[in-house]
Amino acid sequence: MSELNLLKSLDYSVLQQCMHCGMCLPTCPTYDETKFERSSPRGRIRLMREVADGRLDVTETFAEEMSYCLGCLACTTACPAGVDYGTLLENARGEVERRGVIGGPARRLFRWANLSVLFRHPRLMRAVGRSLWLYQKLGVQSALRKLGVMKLLPQQLRVMEAATPTVVAPFSNARIKRIEMPAAPAKYRVALLTGCVQDLLFSPINRATADVLLANGCEVVTPRLQYCCGSLHAHNGELELARDLARKNLDLYDVEKFDAIISNAGGCGSHLKKYAELLHHDSQYHARAVAWDRKVRDVSEWLVEIGCRAPQSAAGGVRVTYDASCHLLHGQKIAAQPLALLKLLPGVDLVPLAESDWCCGSAGVYSITQPEQSAKLLGRKLEHIAATGASVLASGNPGCLMQIENGMRRDPRLAHVRACHPVELLAEAYRREASRIGPGGAE
Ligand code: SF4
Ligand code: SF4
């Protein structure tokens, strides 16, 4: 027990911040479900402190509680003491992995294949994406499903198979040139991060992001091959792998040459803005990481900052509702900007979504690790979406879009509802405007 653990290695003030006031309890979806103190932010912080102090060992129960937490960070928005719960959770999960208290060879193999191999090698990721695209496009997946072959899989693989997202080709490198210039002289120069999951599943969002940036006077630089930001690794307790990916990303960009580094994925952005903290012991990279953190912006944040131009063309009476991604809202504290962009759209009826600030149950790999709780949260979200009567659901994170799209497809009340990123609606409005005005400028 005297051995230094990851929680113990943290600045002790981080552990002492919590004053046990309980303000976070009503905002926590897992406490709401169980009403157990140990499943609350306050309870988990208490457990972490006990581990740091050497009074509690890292047991299976401790590990399960850390895994049951969504990492949604709603507690950090509610907390008057500014507890850095995200850092605590990452280190607690890191300690769980270091001690190897949970999981057998299958879990270890799954984590190694994904975290150490797939999500660290972008070329391999694209190759796997292409194979999956073919498998889906040629109808093999639907044929196997119809034949009932999937029912033979072990339970966890069945859950994963049912949630397999649809790969969308072509990927970002085929949709976006390395450098694209706006029609008028550029006012800003920005780098565009295309993500790993977003690149395979939502490359049209990346194209729309580039289009909206161009329409607002930005020169857009998009490296052809980019690395995963490492958020998946950090949130799953693999901090060394997350550091390795952060360094690789920092090596790709000459930060000083950009006005901003643009992310359009709430979860990634939240992690990308904390590279300096992640690399605080790294004398070679820390200064660069500080400069990087200062430049990273969510696309909605950047567009509002530079005064996004309102499109002139109406969408025609579309009812839109907005679901806040937890890491965009609670991690990055970006609440008003996506709504401000949606309000710029002429002809759009923007209706509020109840509990927009409540997690949809996606939370990285939560739908795989905690399928029951994830399904409960998704069900709750779908009820609220149905109540809005909206035909479009906008959200700023690929994980949330995947989870909600999945749920809506299976719900007859919502099967017609389109899930998309706010920038896609903006890009479409600019395109409508351009086709109405025509290349010569005439209406
Ligand atoms: S991150 Fe979310 S689930 Fe975890 S303790 Fe905080 S509010 Fe609860
Ligand atoms: S709101 Fe903050 S200080 Fe209060 S109990 Fe929760 S984590 Fe601790």
Side-chain angles (χ1 to χ4, degrees):
M1 291 291 287
S2 57
E3 181 193 352
L4 186 72
N5 64 49
L6 282 171
L7 284 160
K8 181 87 182 166
S9 71
L10 284 176
D11 172 0
Y12 202 67
S13 65
V14 179
L15 280 160
Q16 282 177 317
Q17 279 170 325
C18 178
M19 53 193 184
H20 302 286
C21 65
M23 301 271 283
C24 51
L25 301 189
T27 69
C28 174
T30 54
Y31 178 71
D32 183 70
E33 175 67 22
T34 66
K35 297 289 184 293
F36 292 154
E37 176 72 12
R38 67 166 207 224
S39 305
S40 74
R42 184 175 66 178
R44 291 195 181 102
I45 292 167
R46 183 62 187 259
L47 291 174
M48 293 176 202
R49 194 162 167 185
E50 295 289 306
V51 167
D53 289 345
R55 284 195 295 268
L56 183 74
D57 207 350
V58 178
T59 61
E60 219 171 294
T61 313
F62 177 85
E64 277 163 12
E65 212 45 78
M66 297 309 130
S67 156
Y68 185 45
C69 172
L70 290 144
C72 68
L73 305 182
C75 47
T76 63
T77 297
C79 178
V83 172
D84 185 1
Y85 183 84
T87 297
L88 287 171
L89 181 66
E90 282 177 6
N91 282 277
R93 286 185 173 169
E95 190 55 23
V96 166
E97 294 309 322
R98 202 171 70 91
R99 302 283 184 108
V101 287
I102 43 167
R107 181 179 180 272
R108 272 198 291 281
L109 179 67
F110 179 78
R111 283 177 65 90
W112 173 80
N114 281 292
L115 299 177
S116 300
V117 182
L118 188 59
F119 280 82
R120 284 176 70 217
H121 298 97
R123 280 196 183 84
L124 176 66
M125 185 107 182
R126 279 193 185 151
V128 170
R130 248 176 253 121
S131 314
L132 194 54
W133 176 78
L134 263 181
Y135 165 76
Q136 291 172 339
K137 194 78 185 163
L138 297 176
V140 183
Q141 183 179 44
S142 54
L144 291 177
R145 281 179 176 174
K146 272 188 205 134
L147 288 169
V149 175
M150 305 310 183
K151 290 194 190 107
L152 305 174
L153 294 171
Q155 208 241 337
Q156 204 166 20
L157 282 182
R158 236 178 16 240
V159 173
M160 281 169 59
E161 198 288 324
T164 312
T166 307
V167 176
V168 178
F171 304 141
S172 308
N173 59 329
R175 289 181 192 264
I176 308 170
K177 292 195 198 94
R178 204 178 71 76
I179 297 179
E180 296 196 8
M181 301 299 288
K187 288 187 269 183
Y188 311 97
R189 187 165 191 264
V190 302
L192 174 59
L193 305 177
T194 51
C196 48
V197 172
Q198 182 111 303
D199 185 33
L200 301 192
L201 308 181
F202 296 104
S203 53
I205 296 180
N206 288 334
R207 181 63 256 175
T209 305
D211 288 344
V212 171
L213 290 166
L214 291 165
N216 282 279
C218 302
E219 174 190 346
V220 181
V221 180
T222 313
R224 319 280 294 161
L225 202 69
Q226 306 189 14
Y227 290 92
C228 165
C229 66
S231 64
L232 196 64
H233 304 77
H235 297 159
N236 285 286
E238 296 292 351
L239 292 166
E240 276 314 316
L241 295 180
R243 285 187 187 104
D244 174 52
L245 284 163
R247 290 185 195 105
K248 285 195 162 83
N249 272 312
L250 290 172
D251 284 341
L252 264 187
Y253 303 86
D254 190 348
V255 174
E256 293 308 322
K257 293 199 171 142
F258 296 104
D259 295 300
I261 298 161
I262 305 294
S263 162
N264 54 15
C268 308
S270 180
H271 179 73
L272 286 158
K273 287 178 174 177
K274 291 173 84 179
Y275 273 5
E277 183 188 304
L278 190 67
L279 297 170
H280 70 283
H281 285 316
D282 188 324
S283 54
Q284 198 189 334
Y285 279 87
H286 184 251
R288 233 185 306 164
V290 170
W292 166 277
D293 286 8
R294 284 199 198 111
K295 297 263 170 95
V296 176
R297 297 281 190 288
D298 180 73
V299 61
S300 65
E301 185 182 18
W302 172 248
L303 288 169
V304 168
E305 204 173 307
I306 62 173
C308 184
R309 179 173 76 72
Q312 299 306 307
S313 175
V318 183
R319 180 174 283 197
V320 177
T321 196
Y322 172 73
D323 187 47
S325 132
C326 291
H327 280 85
L328 192 57
L329 177 64
H330 303 301
Q332 299 187 55
K333 310 295 179 212
I334 291 178
Q337 295 91 327
L339 291 167
L341 295 185
L342 292 170
K343 282 180 194 151
L344 288 179
L345 295 165
V348 159
D349 177 18
L350 184 62
V351 289
L353 177 67
E355 292 188 351
S356 170
D357 58 352
W358 196 255
C359 182
C360 66
S362 169
V365 291
Y366 199 81
S367 54
I368 298 167
T369 56
Q370 304 282 342
E372 268 179 43
Q373 177 63 13
S374 171
K376 277 186 195 162
L377 289 165
L378 176 59
R380 188 166 169 156
K381 185 66 74 187
L382 297 180
E383 285 306 314
H384 290 312
I385 296 172
T388 64
S391 58
V392 176
L393 178 281
S395 188
N397 188 47
C400 312
L401 288 172
M402 247 163 72
Q403 166 94 336
I404 294 172
E405 244 178 3
N406 239 333
M408 293 200 306
R409 250 199 313 270
R410 293 194 297 257
D411 187 330
R413 295 170 305 169
L414 297 166
H416 68 285
V417 178
R418 174 188 176 198
C420 65
H421 194 291
V423 292
E424 288 184 285
L425 299 174
L426 260 179
E428 285 160 19
Y430 287 137
R431 271 176 226 141
R432 265 196 308 276
E433 176 189 286
S435 64
R436 190 166 57 89
I437 292 170
E443 294 251 351

